[in-house]
Amino acid sequence: MEESSFLEVIRSLFGKREPVLEELTPDEEAFFKELLAFRELEVADFLIPRNLVKSLDITLSWEEVKSYVITNPHTLYPVHREILDHYKGYLKLKDIIRGFNSSIFNWQDFIKPALTLPENITILTALRKLIEQELDLAFVVDELSELVGIIRVEDILKELFLTPRRCLRSDPEGWITLSGTTKIRLIERCLGITFPDGDYETIAGFILYNLNRIPRKGEKFSLPPLEIEILNADEKQIKEVRIKKIP
């Protein structure tokens, strides 16, 4: 990604004004320097795959929407017609709440437009497009224009600003604590390792792919290139792990 494109993102985040490093605190300066190191990450690194996307059918009644939101609480809801591939845009929870005490509410009037992005562009390019159009969510397609998932501004900012700093921190014995949803590509960059090919994108997916089961809390095992300990898991998912690079 060109340096000018990166600076455009920073200017967008700071009201079109480029931050001057001398004006920043040491923590803020370190933050921006770390951000530079991740400017080549792609949209695929931050993707919520389509099988995990919770979406509203545009034909749902208001009562059906309220019922769905209560049982599936999120801040943003993609909207589709009949199937997810026919996506129309997205809805904010705060807009849904406006009519929660009403028996009649035209929730479709609050649907935000759909932004479509290819999965192979850099995440900072995607973030710039989202900021420019004042959108919180984008739909991601592959080279055949088939929907593969969504990305959200909130997730991008969390990953770019928090995960890299956390990932690079290990305890004195070299162990790193991570969420089960941490991306494999990020771990590879943090630890300077390469994972074997497989059908997985996260550390939890890597574990499930190799064990073919959900391990119990407290289990420890080696799956090259890592030693792994399960810190938190239930019968449905791996929530938190500790990892250590195998010497």
Coordinates of all heavy atoms in Angstrom, one line a residue, residues 20-67:
V20 N 0.8 14.8 14.1 CA 2.3 15.1 14.2 C 2.8 14.3 15.3 O 2.3 14.5 16.5 CB 2.5 16.6 14.4 CG1 4.0 16.9 14.5 CG2 1.9 17.4 13.2
L21 N 3.8 13.5 15.1 CA 4.3 12.6 16.1 C 4.8 13.4 17.4 O 4.7 12.9 18.5 CB 5.5 11.7 15.6 CG 5.1 10.7 14.6 CD1 6.3 9.9 14.1 CD2 4.0 9.7 15.1
E22 N 5.3 14.6 17.1 CA 5.8 15.3 18.3 C 4.7 15.7 19.2 O 4.9 16.1 20.4 CB 6.6 16.6 17.8 CG 7.9 16.3 17.2 CD 7.8 15.7 15.8 OE1 6.7 15.7 15.2 OE2 8.9 15.4 15.2
E23 N 3.5 15.8 18.7 CA 2.3 16.2 19.5 C 1.7 15.0 20.3 O 0.8 15.2 21.1 CB 1.2 16.8 18.6 CG 1.7 18.0 17.9 CD 0.6 18.6 17.0 OE1 -0.5 17.9 16.9 OE2 0.8 19.6 16.4
L24 N 2.2 13.8 20.0 CA 1.6 12.6 20.6 C 2.3 12.2 21.9 O 3.5 12.4 22.0 CB 1.6 11.4 19.6 CG 0.9 11.7 18.3 CD1 1.1 10.5 17.4 CD2 -0.6 12.0 18.5
T25 N 1.6 11.4 22.7 CA 2.2 10.8 23.9 C 3.1 9.7 23.4 O 2.9 9.2 22.3 CB 1.2 10.4 24.9 OG1 0.5 9.3 24.3 CG2 0.2 11.5 25.3
P26 N 4.0 9.2 24.3 CA 4.8 8.0 23.9 C 3.9 6.8 23.5 O 4.2 6.1 22.5 CB 5.6 7.7 25.1 CG 5.8 9.0 25.8 CD 4.5 9.7 25.5
D27 N 2.8 6.5 24.2 CA 1.9 5.4 23.9 C 1.3 5.6 22.5 O 1.1 4.7 21.7 CB 0.9 5.3 25.0 CG 1.4 4.6 26.2 OD1 2.5 4.0 26.1 OD2 0.7 4.6 27.2
E28 N 0.8 6.9 22.3 CA 0.2 7.2 21.0 C 1.2 7.0 19.8 O 0.8 6.5 18.8 CB -0.4 8.6 21.0 CG -1.6 8.7 21.9 CD -2.0 10.2 22.1 OE1 -1.2 11.1 21.9 OE2 -3.2 10.4 22.5
E29 N 2.4 7.5 20.0 CA 3.4 7.4 19.0 C 3.7 5.9 18.7 O 3.8 5.5 17.5 CB 4.7 8.1 19.4 CG 5.8 8.0 18.4 CD 7.0 8.8 18.8 OE1 7.0 9.5 19.8 OE2 8.1 8.6 18.1
A30 N 3.8 5.1 19.8 CA 4.0 3.6 19.6 C 2.9 3.0 18.8 O 3.1 2.1 18.0 CB 4.2 3.0 20.9
F31 N 1.7 3.5 19.1 CA 0.5 3.0 18.5 C 0.5 3.2 17.0 O 0.3 2.3 16.2 CB -0.7 3.7 19.1 CG -2.0 3.6 18.3 CD1 -2.8 2.5 18.4 CD2 -2.4 4.7 17.5 CE1 -4.0 2.4 17.7 CE2 -3.6 4.6 16.8 CZ -4.3 3.4 16.9
F32 N 0.9 4.4 16.5 CA 0.9 4.7 15.1 C 2.1 3.9 14.4 O 1.9 3.5 13.3 CB 1.0 6.2 14.9 CG -0.3 6.9 15.0 CD1 -0.5 7.7 16.1 CD2 -1.3 6.7 14.1 CE1 -1.7 8.3 16.3 CE2 -2.5 7.4 14.2 CZ -2.7 8.2 15.3
K33 N 3.2 3.7 15.1 CA 4.3 3.0 14.5 C 3.9 1.5 14.3 O 4.3 0.9 13.3 CB 5.5 3.1 15.4 CG 6.1 4.5 15.3 CD 7.4 4.6 16.1 CE 8.0 6.0 16.0 NZ 9.2 6.1 16.9
E34 N 3.1 1.0 15.3 CA 2.7 -0.4 15.2 C 1.7 -0.5 14.0 O 1.7 -1.5 13.3 CB 2.1 -0.9 16.5 CG 3.1 -1.1 17.6 CD 2.4 -1.5 18.9 OE1 1.2 -1.5 18.9 OE2 3.1 -1.8 19.9
L35 N 0.8 0.5 13.9 CA -0.1 0.4 12.8 C 0.5 0.4 11.4 O 0.0 -0.3 10.5 CB -1.0 1.7 12.9 CG -2.2 1.8 11.9 CD1 -3.1 0.6 12.0 CD2 -3.0 3.1 12.2
L36 N 1.6 1.1 11.3 CA 2.3 1.0 10.0 C 2.7 -0.4 9.6 O 2.7 -0.8 8.4 CB 3.6 1.9 10.1 CG 3.4 3.4 9.9 CD1 4.7 4.2 10.3 CD2 3.0 3.7 8.5
A37 N 3.1 -1.2 10.6 CA 3.5 -2.6 10.3 C 2.4 -3.5 9.8 O 2.7 -4.5 9.2 CB 4.1 -3.2 11.6
F38 N 1.2 -3.0 9.9 CA 0.1 -3.9 9.5 C -0.7 -3.4 8.3 O -1.8 -3.8 8.0 CB -0.9 -4.0 10.7 CG -0.4 -4.9 11.8 CD1 0.4 -4.4 12.8 CD2 -0.6 -6.3 11.8 CE1 0.9 -5.2 13.8 CE2 -0.1 -7.1 12.8 CZ 0.7 -6.5 13.8
R39 N -0.1 -2.4 7.6 CA -0.8 -1.8 6.5 C -0.9 -2.8 5.3 O -1.7 -2.4 4.4 CB -0.1 -0.5 6.1 CG 1.4 -0.7 5.6 CD 2.0 0.6 5.4 NE 3.4 0.5 5.1 CZ 4.2 1.5 4.8 NH1 3.7 2.7 4.8 NH2 5.5 1.3 4.6
E40 N -0.2 -3.9 5.3 CA -0.4 -4.8 4.2 C -1.3 -6.0 4.5 O -1.6 -6.9 3.6 CB 1.0 -5.4 3.8 CG 2.0 -4.4 3.3 CD 1.5 -3.6 2.1 OE1 0.8 -4.2 1.3 OE2 1.8 -2.4 2.0
L41 N -2.0 -6.0 5.6 CA -3.0 -7.0 5.9 C -4.2 -6.8 5.0 O -4.5 -5.7 4.6 CB -3.5 -6.9 7.4 CG -2.5 -7.3 8.5 CD1 -3.1 -7.0 9.8 CD2 -2.2 -8.8 8.4
E42 N -4.8 -8.0 4.6 CA -5.9 -7.9 3.7 C -7.2 -8.1 4.4 O -7.3 -8.4 5.5 CB -5.7 -9.1 2.6 CG -4.5 -8.9 1.8 CD -4.3 -10.0 0.7 OE1 -5.1 -11.0 0.8 OE2 -3.5 -9.9 -0.2
V43 N -8.3 -7.8 3.6 CA -9.6 -7.9 4.1 C -9.9 -9.3 4.7 O -10.5 -9.5 5.7 CB -10.6 -7.6 3.0 CG1 -12.0 -8.1 3.4 CG2 -10.7 -6.1 2.7
A44 N -9.3 -10.3 4.0 CA -9.5 -11.7 4.4 C -9.0 -11.9 5.9 O -9.5 -12.9 6.5 CB -8.8 -12.7 3.5
D45 N -8.1 -11.1 6.4 CA -7.6 -11.3 7.7 C -8.6 -10.9 8.8 O -8.5 -11.3 9.9 CB -6.3 -10.5 7.9 CG -5.1 -11.0 7.1 OD1 -4.8 -12.1 7.4 OD2 -4.6 -10.3 6.3
F46 N -9.6 -10.1 8.4 CA -10.6 -9.6 9.3 C -12.0 -10.1 9.0 O -13.0 -9.5 9.5 CB -10.5 -8.1 9.3 CG -9.2 -7.5 9.7 CD1 -8.2 -7.4 8.7 CD2 -8.9 -7.2 11.0 CE1 -7.0 -6.9 9.0 CE2 -7.6 -6.7 11.3 CZ -6.7 -6.5 10.3
L47 N -12.1 -11.1 8.2 CA -13.4 -11.5 7.7 C -14.2 -12.3 8.7 O -13.7 -13.1 9.4 CB -13.2 -12.4 6.4 CG -14.5 -12.8 5.6 CD1 -15.0 -11.6 4.9 CD2 -14.1 -13.9 4.7
I48 N -15.5 -11.9 8.8 CA -16.5 -12.8 9.5 C -17.1 -13.7 8.4 O -17.8 -13.2 7.5 CB -17.6 -12.0 10.2 CG1 -17.0 -11.1 11.2 CG2 -18.6 -12.9 10.8 CD1 -18.0 -10.1 11.8
P49 N -16.8 -15.0 8.4 CA -17.2 -15.8 7.3 C -18.8 -15.9 7.2 O -19.4 -15.8 8.2 CB -16.6 -17.2 7.6 CG -16.3 -17.1 9.0 CD -16.0 -15.7 9.4
R50 N -19.3 -16.1 6.0 CA -20.7 -16.1 5.8 C -21.5 -17.0 6.7 O -22.6 -16.7 7.0 CB -21.1 -16.3 4.3 CG -20.7 -17.6 3.7 CD -21.2 -17.8 2.3 NE -22.7 -17.8 2.3 CZ -23.4 -17.4 1.2 NH1 -22.8 -16.9 0.1 NH2 -24.7 -17.4 1.3
N51 N -20.9 -18.2 7.0 CA -21.6 -19.1 7.8 C -21.8 -18.6 9.3 O -22.6 -19.2 10.0 CB -20.9 -20.5 7.9 CG -19.6 -20.4 8.5 OD1 -18.7 -19.6 8.1 ND2 -19.3 -21.3 9.5
L52 N -21.1 -17.6 9.7 CA -21.3 -17.0 11.0 C -22.0 -15.7 11.0 O -22.2 -15.1 12.0 CB -19.9 -16.8 11.6 CG -19.0 -18.0 11.9 CD1 -17.7 -17.6 12.5 CD2 -19.8 -19.0 12.7
V53 N -22.4 -15.2 9.8 CA -23.1 -13.9 9.7 C -24.6 -14.1 10.1 O -25.3 -15.0 9.6 CB -23.1 -13.4 8.2 CG1 -23.9 -12.2 8.1 CG2 -21.6 -13.1 7.9
K54 N -25.0 -13.3 11.0 CA -26.4 -13.2 11.5 C -27.1 -12.1 10.7 O -26.9 -10.9 10.9 CB -26.5 -13.0 13.0 CG -25.8 -14.0 13.8 CD -26.4 -15.4 13.7 CE -25.7 -16.4 14.6 NZ -26.2 -17.7 14.5
S55 N -28.1 -12.5 9.8 CA -28.7 -11.5 8.9 C -30.2 -11.5 9.0 O -30.8 -12.5 9.4 CB -28.2 -11.8 7.5 OG -28.7 -10.9 6.6
L56 N -30.8 -10.4 8.7 CA -32.2 -10.2 8.7 C -32.8 -10.3 7.3 O -32.3 -9.6 6.4 CB -32.6 -8.9 9.3 CG -32.3 -8.7 10.8 CD1 -32.5 -7.2 11.2 CD2 -33.1 -9.6 11.7
D57 N -33.8 -11.0 7.1 CA -34.5 -11.0 5.8 C -35.4 -9.8 5.7 O -36.1 -9.5 6.6 CB -35.4 -12.3 5.6 CG -35.9 -12.4 4.2 OD1 -36.5 -11.5 3.7 OD2 -35.6 -13.5 3.6
I58 N -35.3 -9.0 4.6 CA -36.0 -7.8 4.5 C -37.5 -7.9 4.5 O -38.2 -6.9 4.7 CB -35.5 -7.1 3.2 CG1 -35.8 -5.6 3.3 CG2 -36.1 -7.7 2.0 CD1 -35.2 -4.8 2.1
T59 N -38.0 -9.1 4.3 CA -39.4 -9.4 4.3 C -40.0 -9.7 5.7 O -41.2 -9.8 5.9 CB -39.8 -10.5 3.4 OG1 -39.2 -11.7 3.9 CG2 -39.3 -10.3 2.0
L60 N -39.1 -9.7 6.7 CA -39.6 -10.0 8.1 C -40.5 -8.9 8.6 O -40.3 -7.8 8.3 CB -38.4 -10.2 9.0 CG -37.5 -11.4 8.9 CD1 -36.3 -11.3 9.9 CD2 -38.3 -12.7 9.0
S61 N -41.5 -9.4 9.4 CA -42.4 -8.4 10.1 C -41.6 -7.7 11.2 O -40.6 -8.2 11.7 CB -43.6 -9.1 10.6 OG -43.3 -9.9 11.7
W62 N -42.2 -6.6 11.7 CA -41.5 -5.9 12.8 C -41.4 -6.8 14.1 O -40.4 -6.8 14.8 CB -42.3 -4.6 13.1 CG -41.8 -3.9 14.3 CD1 -42.5 -3.4 15.3 CD2 -40.4 -3.5 14.6 NE1 -41.7 -2.7 16.2 CE2 -40.4 -2.8 15.8 CE3 -39.2 -3.7 14.0 CZ2 -39.2 -2.3 16.4 CZ3 -38.0 -3.3 14.5 CH2 -38.1 -2.5 15.7
E63 N -42.5 -7.6 14.3 CA -42.5 -8.5 15.5 C -41.4 -9.5 15.3 O -40.7 -9.9 16.3 CB -43.8 -9.1 15.7 CG -44.9 -8.1 16.2 CD -44.5 -7.4 17.5 OE1 -44.0 -8.1 18.4 OE2 -44.8 -6.2 17.6
E64 N -41.2 -10.0 14.1 CA -40.2 -11.1 13.9 C -38.8 -10.5 14.0 O -37.9 -11.1 14.6 CB -40.4 -11.6 12.5 CG -41.6 -12.5 12.3 CD -41.8 -12.9 10.9 OE1 -41.6 -12.1 10.0 OE2 -42.2 -14.1 10.6
V65 N -38.6 -9.2 13.6 CA -37.3 -8.6 13.8 C -37.0 -8.4 15.3 O -35.9 -8.7 15.7 CB -37.3 -7.2 13.1 CG1 -36.1 -6.4 13.5 CG2 -37.3 -7.4 11.6
K66 N -38.0 -7.9 16.0 CA -37.7 -7.7 17.5 C -37.4 -9.1 18.1 O -36.5 -9.1 19.0 CB -39.0 -7.1 18.1 CG -39.2 -5.6 17.8 CD -40.1 -5.0 18.7 CE -41.5 -5.5 18.5 NZ -42.5 -4.7 19.4
S67 N -38.1 -10.1 17.8 CA -37.8 -11.4 18.4 C -36.4 -11.9 18.0 O -35.7 -12.4 18.9 CB -38.9 -12.4 17.9 OG -38.6 -13.7 18.4

